[in-house]
């Protein structure tokens, strides 16, 4: 993850198919509020909790906007992270500084006693997650600048 903040796409999985001539790659088609979007998921795609993806599942897929994109329809991006979403839940992924502010100033985290903080492999993360790449699961935010939230869960990519 060389990008300080990845671009999210929220949607419901419509179809999962094998990528032609690529045994380790899948094509995942999402129905979003803007129509269909396809993601290529390969060995480098991190699927949080190793969730078994299936049609009908609500997910957040993140891609690096700096990578080239083929001019096809539906648009197709290379997935960096895919996370299963709960109803009315948002997911953010990217670098958060030591003050737990996202690199693009879009979100500030207020860790509470009920916030679950783990490493990418599921182990408890006993340190402050600031200064790391994070996947953050949250519901509501304040109207401040930057918006603040008490996340339900944080996954730290050490």
């Amino acid at each position: 993850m060389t990008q300080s903040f990845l671009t999210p796409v929220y949607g419901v999985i419509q179809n999962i198919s094998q990528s032609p001539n690529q045994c380790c790659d899948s094509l995942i088609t999402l129905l979003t509020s803007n129509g269909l979007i396809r993601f290529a998921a390969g060995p480098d795609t991190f699927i949080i909790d190793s969730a078994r993806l299936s049609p009908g599942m609500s997910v957040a897929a993140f891609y690096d906007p700096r990578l080239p994109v083929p001019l096809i329809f539906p648009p197709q991006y290379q997935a960096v992270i895919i996370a299963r979403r709960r109803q009315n839940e948002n997911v953010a992924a990217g670098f958060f500084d030591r003050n737990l502010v996202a690199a693009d100033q879009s979100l500030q985290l207020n860790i509470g006693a009920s916030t679950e903080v783990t490493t990418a492999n599921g182990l408890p993360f006993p340190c402050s997650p600031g200064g790391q790449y994070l996947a953050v699961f949250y519901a509501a935010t304040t109207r401040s600048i930057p918006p603040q939230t008490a996340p339900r869960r944080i996954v730290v990519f050490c």
Side-chain angles (χ1 to χ4, degrees):
M1 284 185 281
T2 58
Q3 175 74 6
S4 60
F5 214 82
L6 301 170
T7 301
V9 174
Y10 297 106
V12 175
I13 297 175
Q14 296 299 296
N15 185 39
I16 301 174
S17 60
Q18 204 64 34
S19 184
N21 302 322
Q22 301 291 327
C23 294
C24 291
D25 295 345
S26 296
L27 293 175
I28 301 168
T29 304
L30 296 183
L31 178 60
T32 72
S33 60
N34 295 323
L36 294 177
I37 296 181
R38 185 173 288 149
F39 282 92
D44 294 335
T45 302
F46 185 80
I47 299 175
I48 293 183
D49 295 333
S50 298
R52 186 175 180 101
L53 303 177
S54 61
M57 183 181 287
S58 180
V59 297
F62 296 86
Y63 68 93
D64 184 341
R66 299 174 305 160
L67 294 178
V69 177
L71 295 174
I72 59 174
F73 184 81
Q76 181 175 307
Y77 303 102
Q78 180 63 47
V80 176
I81 298 171
I82 299 176
R84 185 176 188 169
R85 287 179 54 210
R86 291 183 178 178
Q87 188 172 358
N88 299 321
E89 181 173 63
N90 296 304
V91 184
F95 185 80
F96 284 76
D97 68 17
R98 295 193 186 284
N99 296 317
L100 299 174
V101 177
D104 67 352
Q105 304 292 308
S106 65
L107 191 63
Q108 181 174 356
L109 308 179
N110 296 318
I111 297 175
S114 63
T115 303
E116 177 187 4
V117 183
T118 64
T119 61
N121 62 3
L123 296 173
F125 189 78
C127 304
S128 170
Q132 305 278 348
Y133 284 90
L134 309 175
V136 180
F137 297 78
Y138 65 98
T141 63
T142 64
R143 293 185 184 208
S144 61
I145 298 178
Q148 297 181 34
T149 188
R152 173 183 67 83
R153 181 175 181 205
I154 298 173
V155 176
V156 181
F157 297 97
C158 296

